[in-house]
Amino acid sequence: MGDHKEQPLRVGAAVRRRRRALSLTLAVVAERSGLSVPFLSQVENDRARPSRSSLEKVADALRTTAVELLAAADPACSVDVVRAEDAEPAVEPRMRSLVRGHHQLHASEFTGDHDAGREFQHRNDELMYVADGAVEIEAEGRAYRLVRGDTMYLTGGVRHRWRATVPDTRVVVVAVAEHIEAVQDRPR
């Protein structure tokens, strides 16, 4: 029950991502596939499920295969539980995704330390929550120390780096997915 793998697939988001990656309009895909713009719009918004034949026409128009589109599809579930015990055993430090699939929200849990010299700059907004331990975060030329229960919100585009200052530190990072146009480009 609630198993992510048991859910049917929603191919619409995969079709939309592929179309946008190729900078194509729905009209162009409709022309290439022989399908109507309204039908393709319904497919992208998961209001219509394409037949195998229609999916192959869409895939051809997008220069891919139906198998690839299905592989990139999102499960059609509104609730998904990611259990801690399902995580693969790993040596410290480790990162595990808290959200499966390709969604509008991305969340990861980091345990232990990682490359403290690595600088991050994400396109969209992000929230860091210290679940256990403590971290030092350098953002916009300032250093911040966060301890258990503290959060830091970073607007998209802010360069930052962080490091754990206590063994077994756990940090949860939640962000708007990079493939979403959530923020306009800001002048730098």
Side-chain angles (χ1 to χ4, degrees):
M1 185 169 178
D3 188 348
H4 185 72
K5 296 173 188 159
E6 296 172 2
Q7 301 295 330
L9 294 177
R10 295 183 320 187
V11 74
V15 169
R16 183 182 313 106
R17 282 190 299 270
R18 177 69 181 173
R19 178 179 62 80
R20 287 181 177 171
L22 295 172
S23 300
L24 299 175
T25 65
L26 280 173
V28 170
V29 176
E31 182 180 320
R32 288 182 180 180
S33 67
L35 301 169
S36 71
V37 170
F39 175 70
L40 291 171
S41 177
Q42 289 178 341
V43 168
E44 283 193 2
N45 291 297
D46 290 313
R47 292 189 188 108
R49 293 182 71 190
S51 66
R52 181 69 182 188
S53 172
S54 293
L55 186 59
E56 288 173 359
K57 289 177 183 179
V58 170
D60 288 344
L62 296 174
R63 299 183 197 120
T64 189
T65 65
V67 172
E68 288 295 319
L69 288 175
L70 288 170
D74 293 333
C77 61
S78 58
V79 176
D80 185 30
V81 176
V82 178
R83 303 251 182 234
E85 63 266 12
D86 292 344
E88 295 181 23
V91 294
E92 296 297 328
R94 75 165 203 228
M95 187 281 290
R96 79 177 174 111
S97 181
L98 301 176
V99 178
R100 291 182 271 225
H102 195 77
H103 299 286
Q104 295 180 14
L105 178 122
H106 179 74
S108 300
E109 177 187 65
F110 296 87
T111 303
D113 210 347
H114 70 283
D115 182 2
R118 181 174 176 205
E119 185 175 76
F120 298 92
Q121 181 180 25
H122 302 287
R123 177 179 181 184
N124 294 326
D125 297 355
E126 143 181 347
L127 176 84
M128 296 179 75
Y129 170 75
V130 181
D132 283 311
V135 296
E136 285 182 355
I137 302 172
E138 185 181 314
E140 295 190 322
R142 291 185 57 196
Y144 302 87
R145 179 168 168 74
L146 276 63
V147 297
R148 182 179 181 194
D150 290 345
T151 63
M152 175 178 275
Y153 178 84
L154 298 159
T155 302
V158 171
R159 293 180 188 277
H160 60 284
R161 70 181 87 227
W162 65 275
R163 69 180 188 89
T165 58
V166 175
D168 299 322
T169 291
R170 286 188 313 126
V171 176
V172 176
V173 177
V174 180
V176 176
E178 291 290 312
H179 70 278
I180 303 294
E181 297 285 340
V183 295
Q184 295 178 347
D185 290 334
R186 293 179 178 87
R188 301 206 204 258

